[in-house]
Amino acid sequence: ATPLRLVMSGGAMGRMDSAILNGERMAFRELAAAGRFWAFNGVAEMTDTPLADLGLGETVLLEIVNDTVFPHAMHLHGMHFREVSEDGALGPLRDAILVGGRETREIAFTVDNPGDWLFHCHMLGHAASGMTTWVRVT
């Protein structure tokens, strides 16, 4: 499986001291002034480059690290995934998973739908203020 990692940071009680916005690294205070309170992998906006460029039929193992104190409901468009438990067992098919504060979860999926697919926090205020990325399937 192709390993991927997504680290969530930010929030009022978070440890995010800076992130990239509009191609520039900004301090948290500057980000907050711009309405960006959250980041994925240190970027507080939708990027031009996908989190991953995946091929049809590829299997992905995505580690989701919540480095905030808030829960985030992560939603993947266009495909379904299964949570991978600590013992390796696979959970039911889903398109969203709640990742608790300071929690790490792992999901697995087979890429079966071509296109550009949004992956974001389903708490839409969080998505609008930085928690949005995407994957490309070719």
Side-chain angles (χ1 to χ4, degrees):
T2 300
L4 296 175
R5 190 167 199 251
L6 182 78
V7 179
M8 300 181 266
S9 57
M13 297 181 288
R15 296 182 279 198
M16 183 173 79
D17 58 353
S18 69
I20 295 171
L21 179 63
N22 299 322
E24 179 184 334
R25 181 155 300 278
M26 296 182 176
F28 185 75
R29 203 175 280 259
E30 295 172 290
L31 293 165
R36 304 301 173 134
F37 305 95
W38 307 100
F40 284 158
N41 293 345
V43 179
E45 64 187 331
M46 175 70 89
T47 59
D48 292 335
T49 306
L51 173 66
D53 197 343
L54 306 166
L56 198 59
E58 192 170 346
T59 301
V60 175
L61 190 59
L62 173 60
E63 179 185 36
I64 305 169
V65 179
N66 184 352
D67 196 25
T68 82
V69 298
F70 298 92
H72 298 286
M74 294 303 300
H75 176 64
L76 177 63
H77 289 245
M79 291 169 281
H80 291 88
F81 57 81
R82 295 180 187 270
E83 182 175 5
V84 181
S85 66
E86 288 185 23
D87 67 1
L90 297 176
L93 279 174
R94 301 174 186 258
D95 66 358
I97 186 170
L98 185 64
V99 184
R102 303 277 187 244
E103 184 175 61
T104 297
R105 309 281 286 276
E106 195 169 51
I107 63 173
F109 57 97
T110 299
V111 179
D112 61 359
N113 197 1
D116 293 342
W117 298 109
L118 191 63
F119 187 48
H120 64 98
C121 179
H122 219 260
M123 295 159 186
L124 298 181
H126 294 182
S129 60
M131 293 189 121
T132 307
T133 190
W134 60 292
V135 296
R136 171 166 286 149
V137 178
T138 55

